[in-house]
Amino acid sequence: EAQFEGAYVSGTEEVEPQPDLNALEGSIQAKKNPSVKYGWRVSTGEVIPSLEPNEQGQYTQEAPAGNIILTGHIKTSNTPDGEQWSQKPEKFEKDYTKVSDTVATAVGANPVVMRQMSQPFQVHTSWGSELTGKPGDLLTQYDVGDYGVLDQGAFNAYYVTA
C-alpha cells in the first residue's frame, strides 16, 4: 500500500486516497446542530472510553489534564453513558458555548464536507487512528488532509445540513 503524508482514505476505488470532497459530486456540507446539548467537564488527566480504537487497538483515549471531556449521546457497551472525547480548551472555546457548568452546545459555525460512501473504506486519521467505514457511512473532511468517518446515526444525532 502506498504511503501518504498525513491522513488518507484506503480500501475503496470510490475516492482518491486524499480527496478534496468539496470538488466531488455527491458531497454535502453539514454543521453541528446548535440545539444538541453535550455534557462537559475538565479532565484530571485520565483515560476515557472511546468509540474509536487507539493505536493499541483499545477503545480508550487519553484525556490530558486540563483538556475538556465532552459527552455525547451515542451509547454502546463501551460508552453506556454516551461517547466521550477530549479536546484542548482553546478548541472547545471556539467550537462550543457553555450553557452551564456541565452542559454545552455546539456553535455550529464551521460546515464539514461529507460524502456518503457505497463501499467499505478505511480512514487513516491525522491523529493516528485507523477508522473503518461501512456502506452508507459518511466520509468527512474537516480540513485539507483531515478525514473522519461518521455513521448515519451519529450524523442524525449531531448534524444538520448546512
Side-chain angles (χ1 to χ4, degrees):
E1 187 167 309
Q3 292 299 313
F4 295 92
E5 191 70 32
Y8 63 98
V9 180
S10 67
T12 179
E13 303 293 314
E14 203 166 341
V15 295
E16 296 291 319
Q18 293 178 309
D20 176 3
L21 296 184
N22 287 296
L24 287 182
E25 189 175 325
S27 295
I28 62 166
Q29 287 202 356
K31 62 182 181 174
K32 286 272 183 103
N33 184 339
S35 68
V36 174
K37 292 181 171 53
Y38 302 86
W40 75 274
R41 64 187 173 84
V42 178
S43 174
T44 58
E46 57 205 272
V47 174
I48 59 175
S50 176
L51 293 175
E52 304 167 352
N54 60 25
E55 291 175 1
Q56 293 77 38
Q58 300 166 323
Y59 286 79
T60 60
Q61 68 170 278
E62 290 187 32
N67 267 18
I68 304 300
I69 297 173
L70 287 130
T71 302
H73 302 277
I74 299 174
K75 296 179 177 169
T76 67
S77 59
N78 189 46
T79 60
D81 297 322
E83 86 279 20
Q84 296 182 350
W85 64 98
S86 172
Q87 284 195 330
K88 293 182 178 177
E90 53 275 11
K91 182 160 175 43
F92 173 76
E93 295 292 335
K94 183 177 126 239
D95 293 344
Y96 294 88
T97 300
K98 293 177 185 173
V99 176
S100 73
D101 289 343
T102 59
V103 176
T105 57
V107 173
N110 301 321
V112 176
V113 185
M114 303 177 182
R115 185 171 194 280
Q116 192 166 40
M117 302 290 282
S118 62
Q119 302 172 0
F121 64 103
Q122 288 83 43
V123 170
H124 307 265
T125 69
S126 59
W127 58 91
S129 294
E130 184 174 310
L131 309 178
T132 301
K134 60 191 176 308
D137 285 352
L138 295 139
L139 171 61
T140 60
Q141 183 176 358
Y142 301 107
D143 205 345
V144 174
D146 189 9
Y147 307 101
V149 176
L150 191 65
D151 72 21
Q152 198 65 51
F155 176 83
N156 294 337
Y158 300 123
Y159 285 85
V160 292
T161 305

